[in-house]
Amino acid sequence: MTHRRGFLGLAAGAGLALSAGLARAAAPAAIPELKPLTGGVVPISPAERRERIARAQTLMRAQGVSALLIEPGSAMIYFCGVRWSRSERLTACVIPVDGDVLIVTPHFEEPSVRETLAVPAEVRVWQEDENPLEVVAGWLKDKKLASGVVGVEETVRYFIVDALQKALPSATVRNGAAVTRGVRMIKTEHELALMQTAADITIAAYRYTFPRIQAGMTRGDINDLMTAATHALGGEAEFNLILLGEASAYPHGSGKPQMVREGEVVLMDCGCVVEGYQSDISRTFVFGAPSAAQRKVWDEVHRGQEIAFAAAKLGAPAGAVDDAVRGWYESLGYGPRYKLPGLSHRTGHGIGLDGHEPVNLVHGEATKLAPGMCFSNEPGIYIPGQFGVRLEDCFHMTEAGPRYFSEPPPSLDKPFG
C-alpha cells in the first residue's frame, strides 16, 4: 500500500496538496550514527535503456505493432531516460518497430528535454501554432509506418489518442500495454539491486525512528524522523503514511487529528527511491502494552503474509495469491471477500519505478508469476472504529520461487526484527 492513493498519501513534489504524515522535501539531515547505504549504487546505463528498447521491439514484431507512443512519466524514463512532466503541451517518445526512437517536444523545450535523453534519438519539434500529433504522423509516414498498428502506452491521455487517430486515419491505434508491461514487469538484476538498496534504506530508517517515537507525537513528528533518517541513509524520501489509533482501521487514513497514545496502534507505511526505484514497507506496532485483541489481529496478519508468500509459485496466476489469503481470513470469520472487518484491498501490487505497477495480486488476475516480477505482500486486517494492522514487505520472483527484499517482522514485540 503506497502513497499513490488517498488524500493522506499524495506524493510530495508532485504538485499535490501535502497532508501531515507524509514525506516532505527537506535538505539531507546530518545524523552522525547513520551513513549512506548507496555507496555501491550504479545508475541505469544508456546501454541498458537501449536493450530495453530492443526487447520492446521484439515484442512489437511478435504482436504486429509498428510503433509505440509514450508520454512523460515512468515509461519514458524507463526507455529513454527523459525526465519530463506532462502538460497540455505534448512531449512524447515514439518507439518504432525497428531503429532509433523519436522525441517530439515543443521547440522552446528541446534543450531541456535533451538534458536527460539517454538513447540515440531523432528529435522533432513543434511550434505553438502547430499540432504535435501531425509531427508524429509525419515521422511515421517517413518511416513507412503510418498504415500499421500504433500502440499507445496505457497511461497516455485520451486527447492525445484522439488527436493521433485523426492525424493517422489509415493507422490502427490500440492499447500498447502488452508491450510496455511485457518489458517492464520483468526486472533485471540491476533493477532488483536498486530495489534492494531502497528496501535496506527504509528498514534502516524504521529502526532509527521506532525507538524515538514518544507519547504525544503527531504524524508530522514521526514523518520528520523517518524522512531525516531516509535522507541520511542516502535515499530520497518518497512517502510516509502514518496512521495512529483508530485511523489505522482505514487503509489510507483519516483527516482527524491524531497523536501517539499509550496502548494504541501505530501503523507506518513508508518508502523511498534509489535511482528511481521504489521501496514500500509497512509496519504496525503498539505504543506501550498491546491488548489481547491487538496481538490476535497482528498474528493473523502475520500468518496472512506467510500464506501469500507460500502461494506465490512460479507459473501460478497472480490472483491465486490473493485467493489463498482471503480464503484463510474468511475461515476466521472475516469478510467475506472485501467486507469489513477483514481485508478490504488486494493482497499486493506490482512495484518498480512506480510504487504501483501492473500486475496486482488480486482475485481474477490471470497473469502467471515469472522470474523478475516484483510485488508487495500486504494482507492487512481492518476493524472500523477500532484499529487496523498492515504488514507489508515486497518480494521478487526467482527461478527458485519468491524472495523478499525485506524480511517480515518476527512478532508484534519485535516489529523490526
Side-chain angles (χ1 to χ4, degrees):
M1 186 75 61
T2 83
H3 61 293
R4 300 294 183 189
R5 299 289 187 270
F7 70 93
L8 283 179
L10 302 179
L16 301 172
L18 186 65
S19 298
L22 300 183
R24 291 191 283 268
I31 302 177
E33 60 266 48
L34 299 181
K35 305 299 180 186
L37 302 180
T38 51
V41 166
V42 177
I44 299 295
S45 69
E48 288 173 285
R49 297 189 201 279
R50 291 195 297 272
E51 193 276 333
R52 293 168 175 180
I53 291 170
R55 282 193 284 148
Q57 290 171 325
T58 297
L59 288 177
M60 291 164 66
R61 284 190 286 273
Q63 297 171 20
V65 176
S66 301
L68 178 69
L69 185 140
I70 299 169
E71 270 205 271
S74 59
M76 188 176 285
I77 294 170
Y78 180 86
F79 287 111
C80 303
V82 174
R83 297 179 180 273
W84 202 247
S85 298
R86 296 186 182 191
S87 75
E88 76 283 5
R89 293 185 174 101
L90 177 68
T91 289
C93 166
V94 182
I95 300 176
V97 69
D98 291 294
D100 293 339
V101 304
L102 166 73
I103 300 295
V104 173
T105 194
H107 174 264
F108 66 92
E109 303 285 22
E110 180 184 1
S112 301
V113 169
R114 283 186 179 275
E115 286 183 1
T116 53
L117 179 59
V119 296
E122 180 178 348
V123 179
R124 291 193 180 185
V125 300
W126 58 278
Q127 303 295 347
E128 291 278 67
D129 60 349
E130 294 177 330
N131 180 352
L133 276 309
E134 292 289 352
V135 177
V136 172
W139 186 81
L140 290 172
K141 290 173 184 176
D142 292 345
K143 297 291 183 180
K144 305 293 192 287
L145 301 174
S147 297
V149 174
V150 179
V152 292
E153 195 268 336
E154 60 192 297
T155 70
V156 171
R157 292 167 291 176
Y158 176 75
F159 79 88
I160 295 169
V161 177
D162 183 53
L164 179 65
Q165 290 173 322
K166 291 174 181 176
L168 286 172
S170 61
T172 299
V173 179
R174 76 181 192 204
N175 192 330
V179 174
T180 53
R181 289 186 182 189
V183 180
R184 291 186 61 186
M185 278 197 305
I186 307 302
K187 271 60 176 182
T188 64
E189 289 299 321
H190 190 179
E191 291 177 287
L192 295 175
L194 293 173
M195 294 175 70
Q196 184 63 64
T197 300
D200 292 346
I201 288 170
T202 298
I203 287 293
Y206 267 130
R207 287 175 174 154
Y208 173 84
T209 300
F210 173 62
R212 290 168 174 80
I213 295 175
Q214 300 177 11
M217 277 187 167
T218 66
R219 292 173 294 166
D221 295 331
I222 299 172
N223 170 78
D224 290 345
L225 284 172
M226 193 72 183
T227 298
T230 298
H231 286 164
L233 290 159
E236 177 186 344
E238 177 73 357
F239 66 96
N240 297 320
L241 178 60
I242 316 297
L243 307 179
L244 305 176
E246 182 193 347
S248 62
Y250 313 109
H252 288 123
S254 165
K256 296 178 180 178
Q258 300 164 41
M259 66 175 59
V260 177
R261 293 185 174 90
E262 183 76 20
E264 291 193 348
V265 163
V266 177
L267 193 163
M268 299 178 63
D269 184 345
C270 305
C272 77
V273 174
V274 173
E275 290 296 326
Y277 286 84
Q278 300 204 20
S279 62
D280 190 3
I281 302 172
S282 297
R283 291 291 181 264
T284 302
F285 50 93
V286 175
F287 185 79
S291 67
Q294 291 166 337
R295 191 175 293 280
K296 171 180 176 291
V297 174
W298 195 99
D299 288 343
E300 290 167 341
V301 172
H302 187 257
R303 179 58 183 150
Q305 268 201 314
E306 293 176 337
I307 289 172
F309 192 74
K313 300 182 183 299
L314 288 174
V321 178
D322 185 76
D323 292 341
V325 175
R326 209 166 296 278
W328 185 68
Y329 280 173
E330 289 177 7
S331 76
L332 299 177
Y334 293 111
R337 289 177 50 78
Y338 299 95
K339 292 184 178 179
L340 295 173
L343 174 56
S344 55
H345 57 74
R346 63 201 171 198
T347 294
H349 55 79
I351 186 170
L353 276 176
D354 289 320
H356 287 186
E357 292 187 359
V359 291
N360 298 311
L361 303 179
V362 66
H363 175 72
E365 177 54 65
T367 302
K368 293 183 178 181
L369 301 182
M373 290 182 175
C374 300
F375 301 96
S376 70
N377 178 0
E378 48 178 315
I381 292 176
Y382 308 95
I383 306 173
Q386 297 184 38
F387 64 91
V389 173
R390 180 163 66 250
L391 303 175
E392 177 183 15
D393 295 276
C394 293
F395 65 90
H396 60 97
M397 299 301 298
T398 75
E399 294 289 354
R403 179 181 301 166
Y404 274 121
F405 290 107
S406 58
E407 290 292 329
S411 69
L412 175 58
D413 302 310
K414 296 180 180 179
F416 303 103

